[in-house]
């Protein structure tokens, strides 16, 4: 009973924290969020084909549309409600994984505090309205079921693992890698019980997937055609390695040549590829270990013989295999697209938090006998977690909402104007102004220049322009002064440290 009360208390705290952080954003969105919102609007209007044309993995926008239609809330508010649900679900699953790892109630509290103090997971990503949050929630639920299945072998847990990981894959295609690889841990890990048949366990862990595979194969045979494009993003599972090969030929080889000739030089030129790949893989390791903050990484690595004894060995080994897959996926993403967002490795961070919470609890149990270094680690990590939590819940710094402030200023100015026409040059500005969706991730400067050159800019009373501090910003400002002759600079809104700027130009009466 006490354990259930603690879980409810932590979930309640998560709901309050998530709600407050989302409220403090004042409607701030990302470019990806705008895409999902527009897809949800199209799905609500019955324009399914138009929505899937924008992005071929529409499960998350469909959920937003479903909540919107069921509750009558706005599309953005519906997405924010989903974010709160996903966040609390992730925390609940993490708490249960900590229990499976051997953690007591204090370890569960420590895990929750580490999550609340994570400036990246909670402060940056949680309020973004992204599909990653649903992916994390269902992947952690699936992992929990696989852990229980590995220990006890119940078919209900095997089916639950398969259904939940399939739902996670509907959020992000990377989930398919876990479908294929994670149950293979049953082959390499020790048997949890002497009377367990490993092959029998593996069959149960894959039985639902095999059934779906057979149905998919029958569908292909009956259609008498194999069209990879019809698979949508599923075809990435078949073309992923060819995409990596193409990226190596088009981009990475040139970078290796630069490293060989201009960085390491003689006599180490033959180590160029080794050095380059080592750098990429090191980046993925650093991202994985510090995505949840410094404290979980430090605590997880501060284990002693006594703390290791408290870790449930079966759960720890399965979590380690899960973390390894996450790192491999991160490496594949780098090789495929040359970037690695922290969102792709947050699952590794959750594993670190689970392990760190149990180890920290072991250190606290032996506080009187702990060494000075262990005590210093605990105190230092506690301070970092507290500072992270304060940073997450404090109101946003000045300049955080500079684009929102610019749009609000223009709309207030329009109240006294006869001409209600504004040229917004970014997709965020149009969203904040509740204007129709046009596109995203386009060249905002080119978008503006085209309208200046063909004279369309003269149809507007205000022009709102993002012009961040860069090497060419001075030249662009000169261009605006010489070409926007019918306008004057009315106001400038600055982002953090004044590196980001939004200019408001107003027509000269």
């Amino acid at each position: 009973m006490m354990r259930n009360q603690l879980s409810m208390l932590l979930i309640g705290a998560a709901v309050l924290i998530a709600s407050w952080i989302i409220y403090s954003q004042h409607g701030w969105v990302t470019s990806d969020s705008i895409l999902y919102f527009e897809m949800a609007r199209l799905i609500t209007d019955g324009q399914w084909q138009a929505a899937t044309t924008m992005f071929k993995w529409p499960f998350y926008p469909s959920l937003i549309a479903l909540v919107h239609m069921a509750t009558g809330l706005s599309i953005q508010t519906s997405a924010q409600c989903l974010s709160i649900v996903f966040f609390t679900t992730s925390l609940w699953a993490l708490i249960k994984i900590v229990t499976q790892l051997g953690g007591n109630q204090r370890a569960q509290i420590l895990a929750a505090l580490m999550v609340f103090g994570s400036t990246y997971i909670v402060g940056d990503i949680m309020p973004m309205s992204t599909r990653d949050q649903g992916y994390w929630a269902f992947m952690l639920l699936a992992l929990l079921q696989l852990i229980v299945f590995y220990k006890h072998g119940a078919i209900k847990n095997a089916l639950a693992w398969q259904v939940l990981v399939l739902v996670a894959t509907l959020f992000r295609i990377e989930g398919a890698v876990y479908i294929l690889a994670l149950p293979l841990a049953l082959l390499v890990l020790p048997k949890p019980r002497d009377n367990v048949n490993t092959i029998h366990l593996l069959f149960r862990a894959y039985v639902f997937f095999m059934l779906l595979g057979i149905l998919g194969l029958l569908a292909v045979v009956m259609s008498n055609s194999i069209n990879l494009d019809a698979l949508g993003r599923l075809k990435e599972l078949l073309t992923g390695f060819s995409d990596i090969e193409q990226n190596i030929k088009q981009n990475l080889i040139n970078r290796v040549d630069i490293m060989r000739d201009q960085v390491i030089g003689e006599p180490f030129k033959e180590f160029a590829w080794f050095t380059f790949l080592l750098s990429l893989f090191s980046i993925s390791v650093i991202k994985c270990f510090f995505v949840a903050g410094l404290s979980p990484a430090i605590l997880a690595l501060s284990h002693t013989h006594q703390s290791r004894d408290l870790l449930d060995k079966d759960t720890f080994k399965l979590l380690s295999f899960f973390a390894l897959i996450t790192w491999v996926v991160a490496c594949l993403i780098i090789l495929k697209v040359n970037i690695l967002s922290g969102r792709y490795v947050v699952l590794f961070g959750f594993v670190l938090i689970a392990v760190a919470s149990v180890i920290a609890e072991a250190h606290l149990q032996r506080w009187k006998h702990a060494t000075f270094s262990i005590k210093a680690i605990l105190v230092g990590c506690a301070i970092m977690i507290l500072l992270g939590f304060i940073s997450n819940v404090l109101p946003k710094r000045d300049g955080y909402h500079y684009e929102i402030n610019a749009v609000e200023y223009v709309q207030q100015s329009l109240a006294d104007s006869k001409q209600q026409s504004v040229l917004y040059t970014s997709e965020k500005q149009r969203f904040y102004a509740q204007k129709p969706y046009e596109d995203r991730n386009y060249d905002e400067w080119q978008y503006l220049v085209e309208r200046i050159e063909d004279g369309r800019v003269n149809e507007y009373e205000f022009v709102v322009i993002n012009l961040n501090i860069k090497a060419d910003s001075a030249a662009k400002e000169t261009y605006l002064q010489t070409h926007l002759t019918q306008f004057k600079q009315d106001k400038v809104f600055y982002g953090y440290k004044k590196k980001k700027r939004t200019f408001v130009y107003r027509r000269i009466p």
Side-chain angles (χ1 to χ4, degrees):
M1 185 65 180
M2 289 294 295
R3 180 169 295 180
N4 291 333
Q5 290 177 346
L6 176 63
S7 297
M8 294 304 297
L9 180 64
L10 294 176
I11 293 302
V15 171
L16 291 176
I17 292 170
S19 301
W20 167 252
I21 292 175
I22 289 174
Y23 170 78
S24 67
Q25 296 281 330
H26 297 300
W28 177 86
V29 295
T30 66
S31 177
D32 287 347
S33 301
I34 295 173
L35 171 68
Y36 302 142
F37 297 163
E38 179 62 16
M39 290 179 66
R41 185 191 67 80
L42 293 172
I43 292 170
T44 302
D45 292 342
Q47 303 181 52
W48 176 263
Q49 186 172 359
T52 54
T53 300
M54 298 176 67
F55 185 63
K56 296 185 181 299
W57 213 241
F59 183 70
Y60 175 59
S62 300
L63 284 182
I64 297 175
L66 181 62
V67 174
H68 167 63
M69 291 185 289
T71 63
L73 297 171
S74 70
I75 286 178
Q76 185 175 9
T77 304
S78 300
Q80 290 169 342
C81 290
L82 283 175
S83 294
I84 295 172
V85 171
F86 293 149
F87 176 64
T88 53
T89 302
S90 297
L91 181 65
W92 182 87
L94 178 64
I95 290 171
K96 296 303 179 183
I97 290 173
V98 169
T99 303
Q100 293 294 327
L101 193 57
N104 56 20
Q105 291 187 351
R106 189 158 63 175
Q108 296 174 27
I109 295 173
L110 291 173
L113 292 176
M114 287 185 218
V115 172
F116 297 154
S118 172
T119 54
Y120 182 73
I121 296 175
V122 176
D124 292 344
I125 302 300
M126 192 272 296
M128 276 189 181
S129 297
T130 68
R131 59 197 173 103
D132 301 271
Q133 299 167 46
Y135 175 65
W136 303 334
F138 281 92
M139 189 59 74
L140 289 174
L141 289 173
L143 175 61
L144 172 63
Q145 292 299 321
L146 187 63
I147 291 171
V148 176
F149 169 68
Y150 173 56
K151 290 182 176 182
H152 305 291
I155 187 65
K156 64 178 183 180
N157 298 120
L159 293 176
W161 133 256
Q162 293 167 84
V163 171
L164 290 167
V165 76
L166 279 173
V167 175
T169 305
L170 292 177
F171 286 96
R172 293 202 66 91
I173 190 63
E174 290 86 351
V177 179
Y178 296 88
I179 291 176
L180 297 173
L182 189 55
L184 296 179
L186 303 177
L187 291 177
V188 297
L189 296 181
K191 294 181 181 180
R193 300 177 307 280
D194 292 336
N195 61 342
V196 171
N197 187 313
T198 302
I199 301 301
H200 189 199
L201 273 182
L202 192 64
F203 174 79
R204 288 187 174 189
Y206 277 119
V207 62
F208 188 57
F209 301 144
M210 291 188 291
L211 178 61
L212 289 180
I214 293 171
L215 293 176
L217 183 60
L218 288 175
V220 170
V221 172
M222 293 177 66
S223 65
N224 295 321
S225 64
I226 300 178
N227 184 1
L228 289 180
D229 292 332
L231 297 176
R233 295 201 67 191
L234 283 175
K235 73 175 183 180
E236 295 180 20
L237 300 176
L238 304 176
T239 64
F241 286 104
S242 63
D243 293 340
I244 291 174
E245 181 182 5
Q246 184 178 4
N247 183 55
I248 290 174
K249 292 178 180 178
Q250 293 180 352
N251 298 299
L252 298 188
I253 288 179
N254 293 332
R255 299 184 184 190
V256 172
D257 291 340
I258 293 172
M259 176 167 283
R260 180 181 60 247
D261 298 331
Q262 301 181 25
V263 179
I264 59 176
E266 293 290 356
F268 305 112
K269 283 188 174 182
E270 64 268 26
F271 296 101
W273 265 109
F274 173 80
T275 305
F276 183 76
L277 292 176
L278 182 63
S279 300
L280 292 184
F281 295 154
S282 298
I283 290 171
S284 63
V285 169
I286 293 171
K287 286 268 192 179
C288 286
F289 271 92
F290 299 110
V291 68
L294 283 172
S295 298
I298 293 173
L299 289 170
L301 296 174
S302 70
H303 58 80
T304 61
H305 291 297
Q306 292 82 3
S307 61
R308 281 201 302 269
D309 291 340
L310 292 180
L311 292 171
D312 181 85
K313 293 180 174 57
D314 293 333
T315 304
F316 179 74
K317 290 173 182 176
L318 195 53
L319 287 178
S320 299
F321 200 87
F322 180 84
L324 176 63
I325 294 174
T326 304
W327 176 75
V328 171
V329 170
C331 293
L332 293 176
I333 291 173
I334 289 182
L335 292 175
K336 182 179 177 181
V337 295
N338 302 324
I339 59 172
L340 181 63
S341 169
R343 291 178 296 159
Y344 302 147
V345 296
V346 163
L347 290 172
F348 194 105
F350 279 121
V351 170
L352 276 183
I353 289 174
V355 174
S357 65
V358 179
I359 290 177
E361 160 59 14
H363 291 330
L364 289 174
Q365 287 181 10
R366 296 179 54 82
W367 176 262
K368 292 182 179 180
H369 306 287
T371 63
F372 175 79
S373 60
I374 293 296
K375 290 182 178 180
I377 287 173
L378 289 174
V379 173
C381 289
I383 293 173
M384 285 189 288
I385 292 170
L386 177 62
L387 292 176
F389 175 74
I390 293 173
S391 174
N392 289 339
V393 299
L394 279 178
K396 296 302 179 183
R397 58 182 179 265
D398 292 339
Y400 186 86
H401 304 104
Y402 71 101
E403 272 193 280
I404 297 177
N405 295 335
V407 171
E408 289 177 347
Y409 171 79
V410 169
Q411 291 181 327
Q412 291 170 1
S413 300
L414 285 172
D416 300 324
S417 173
K418 295 180 181 179
Q419 187 177 358
Q420 305 289 315
S421 186
V422 183
L423 175 60
Y424 295 107
T425 57
S426 82
E427 70 269 23
K428 287 187 182 181
Q429 293 166 8
R430 283 192 294 276
F431 177 82
Y432 297 140
Q434 298 182 353
K435 298 298 181 182
Y437 176 87
E438 290 187 22
D439 201 354
R440 71 183 193 112
N441 293 337
Y442 57 85
D443 189 328
E444 294 179 18
W445 180 252
Q446 186 61 34
Y447 178 91
L448 172 63
V449 168
E450 289 176 359
R451 282 151 182 78
I452 292 177
E453 298 295 338
D454 62 20
R456 280 181 289 170
V457 70
N458 295 317
E459 300 173 3
Y460 301 94
E461 185 170 350
F462 287 90
V463 181
V464 186
I465 306 165
N466 286 339
L467 191 57
N468 300 333
I469 299 294
K470 293 182 179 179
D472 60 350
S473 58
K476 289 181 177 179
E477 287 186 60
T478 302
Y479 175 87
L480 294 176
Q481 292 170 3
T482 56
H483 288 75
L484 286 179
T485 55
Q486 303 296 320
F487 295 82
K488 65 176 182 180
Q489 188 183 109
D490 188 38
K491 196 172 180 63
V492 182
F493 292 85
Y494 293 97
Y496 183 56
K497 294 184 178 180
K498 295 190 174 182
K499 292 183 178 181
K500 295 184 176 182
R501 305 174 298 176
T502 296
F503 288 77
V504 176
Y505 278 81
R506 186 169 192 166
R507 177 181 292 280
I508 300 173

